Amino acid sequence: MAFEELLNDPVIQKYLHELVGPTGMPVAAAPPDGEVTDEELAEELGLELNDVRRALFILYENDLAEYRRVRDEDSGWLTYLWTFHYENIPENLQEEMYRLLDALEERLEYERTHEFYLSEPAGIRFEFSEAMEQGFQCPETGAPLEPMENDDMVEAMERRIEELRDELNVDVGRDD
């Protein structure tokens, strides 16, 4: 996928936004060709230097940017020249999907193996052992804790897990 196509993809735009946040999005959404300094980016985009540096560092941590240092021979100051590598985005997104799948599978197991009680007035959910410790009364409102069915939540999680497995071409008994 070409650089421009990546940046026009709404999923990738959302991914970049989640990484760098709204203040860093101008940096992520308009990567220059070749090397650029953080100062040049800040000036070009009209952003605070610290916001640009924060976004660059986040992109670096996610293998979407790299830098090289150049020392000014007169002043001894270091200049960081940044290069963007958005070709790693599809792989990063796939890794995120695997992490989400693992987390959902773990949570599904938790939901299936625990019994829950709910305090309707407070909107607080308790595991059986917590409810028992409270004498099946809400510690905030004193209202009785009622048994809570989580079948709808379990079914929704099962559907989402199946969708992720289909998208990732993963079998149920996978060994990543």
Side-chain angles (χ1 to χ4, degrees):
M1 191 178 284
F3 209 61
E4 294 77 25
E5 290 177 50
L6 279 173
L7 292 174
N8 289 328
D9 185 324
V11 172
I12 290 174
Q13 288 176 5
K14 175 80 171 152
Y15 171 69
L16 290 171
H17 189 271
E18 289 294 318
L19 283 178
V20 299
T23 56
M25 196 56 192
V27 175
D33 293 329
E35 294 181 318
V36 64
T37 67
D38 48 4
E39 291 93 354
E40 291 168 341
L41 275 175
E43 186 176 321
E44 180 181 322
L45 298 171
L47 297 173
E48 294 289 324
L49 186 56
N50 284 342
D51 292 336
V52 170
R53 287 179 174 159
R54 180 184 165 281
L56 288 169
F57 185 70
I58 291 169
L59 293 171
Y60 170 77
E61 285 181 322
N62 288 277
D63 297 324
L64 300 177
E66 67 180 13
Y67 64 87
R68 69 182 180 93
R69 291 183 294 217
V70 178
R71 185 175 299 278
D72 183 289
E73 292 188 21
D74 294 332
S75 68
W77 287 56
L78 289 174
T79 299
Y80 290 80
L81 298 169
W82 291 88
T83 308
F84 291 76
H85 296 287
Y86 282 7
E87 64 273 6
N88 296 333
I89 289 177
E91 183 180 325
N92 289 8
L93 282 172
Q94 187 174 33
E95 289 173 13
E96 287 290 325
M97 290 172 67
Y98 275 111
R99 278 195 287 278
L100 176 59
L101 178 59
D102 289 342
L104 279 172
E105 288 173 337
E106 190 175 308
R107 183 60 188 225
L108 178 61
E109 182 63 22
Y110 173 79
E111 291 293 328
R112 284 179 173 160
T113 58
H114 289 81
E115 189 176 330
F116 299 98
Y117 288 80
L118 179 67
S119 167
E120 290 263 352
I124 302 173
R125 185 173 88 152
F126 298 88
E127 286 183 17
F128 175 79
S129 60
E130 296 170 318
M132 202 163 99
E133 286 174 17
Q134 300 297 329
F136 294 93
Q137 284 193 320
C138 178
E140 289 189 18
T141 65
L145 299 179
E146 301 295 331
M148 178 186 167
E149 292 296 323
N150 63 348
D151 295 341
D152 291 343
M153 184 185 315
V154 167
E155 288 175 20
M157 292 172 81
E158 288 171 338
R159 282 192 305 274
R160 185 63 184 125
I161 287 169
E162 189 59 37
E163 290 168 2
L164 280 169
R165 285 181 180 153
D166 287 347
E167 196 164 336
L168 292 167
N169 295 317
V170 172
D171 292 331
V172 174
R174 67 186 167 100
D175 291 305
D176 293 339

